[in-house]
Amino acid sequence: MSTMQYSFRLTLNDEQDTQNLAKTLSKCFTEGVIYLIGDLGAGKTTFTRYLLQALGHQGAVKSPTYTLVEPYKIKQKDIFHFDLYRLNDPYELELMGIRDYLDVPNALFLFEWPSKGGDDIPDANIVIQIEKSEDDVQRFITFSLENAALYECLKEKL
Ligand code: ADP
Ligand code: MG
């Protein structure tokens, strides 16, 4: 994460802004690894829900807090939404067969609480940090990423 070349901050005033940001991201990035970092209630799952919807998902998006992962297949594309909050030991990831998930080609991986995953989870292409305002209305977002083309794509659209 410390080697990420590009970073920028955004203020989201409401959920509509969050949805718009997710839509923009869906046009620039559809495979690889996203880390979502922030306190409980920051909006990691909400952002994921809007991103999945922007990619064409129509059903519910459950928080995978108890299952660790929730798989999606959206327009032939595999998407895995992980929430490692309840992970006690990264070894549990081996037991749940994380390697099989990570071997899926061209997939998109979202990780909430990646810090709990230890070395078993892949490095991020994008790190999204979300902070709440005092009054819990706004969200302050920091994107960090390493790919110049992705940075240009986002910058052009935001
Ligand atoms: P996390 O997954 O980070 O624990 P959730 O996404 O489950 O957080 O919860 C975020 C809560 O904050 C939701 O109830 C959501 O409706 C609310 N919220 C309010 N404003 C925003 C916003 N701008 N973006 C995302 N969520 C928001
Ligand atoms: Mg969550």
Side-chain angles (χ1 to χ4, degrees):
M1 206 196 300
S2 54
T3 62
M4 294 280 187
Q5 295 221 20
Y6 302 97
S7 101
F8 55 92
R9 279 172 71 81
L10 299 165
T11 298
L12 306 177
N13 288 315
D14 51 31
E15 276 200 43
Q16 184 65 54
D17 283 355
T18 303
Q19 182 171 22
N20 289 339
L21 178 62
K23 275 189 191 157
T24 300
L25 182 60
S26 75
K27 293 182 183 124
C28 295
F29 188 81
T30 54
E31 61 186 69
V33 178
I34 299 175
Y35 288 179
L36 292 151
I37 300 188
D39 294 340
L40 285 176
K44 302 178 295 297
T45 300
T46 301
F47 184 83
T48 302
R49 184 173 292 125
Y50 285 130
L51 183 64
L52 291 167
Q53 288 170 354
L55 291 167
H57 180 65
Q58 297 196 324
V61 175
K62 304 182 265 181
S63 180
T65 307
Y66 292 93
T67 52
L68 292 181
V69 64
E70 198 65 42
Y72 297 87
K73 190 117 185 168
I74 304 173
K75 297 181 184 165
Q76 322 280 0
K77 168 169 260 333
D78 287 292
I79 303 178
F80 301 102
H81 175 203
F82 288 85
D83 181 349
L84 307 185
Y85 184 67
R86 295 197 169 265
L87 195 71
N88 295 309
D89 185 329
Y91 182 61
E92 289 172 38
L93 288 174
E94 300 287 335
L95 295 178
M96 60 96 77
I98 190 167
R99 279 164 201 284
D100 294 335
Y101 292 107
L102 298 179
D103 282 346
V104 174
N106 312 120
L108 176 64
F109 300 92
L110 294 128
F111 286 95
E112 298 186 38
W113 300 98
S115 58
K116 303 227 176 194
D119 294 334
D120 284 326
I121 64 166
D123 288 341
N125 301 112
I126 307 177
V127 177
I128 302 174
Q129 280 173 276
I130 311 176
E131 286 163 70
K132 293 199 275 191
S133 59
E134 296 265 303
D135 60 9
D136 199 8
V137 175
Q138 290 172 309
R139 296 293 185 275
F140 307 108
I141 304 277
T142 307
F143 266 66
S144 305
L145 46 97
E146 60 198 356
N147 182 282
L150 174 57
Y151 180 68
E152 290 304 323
C153 183
L154 290 170
K155 219 175 61 171
E156 183 196 322
K157 292 183 170 58
L158 289 170

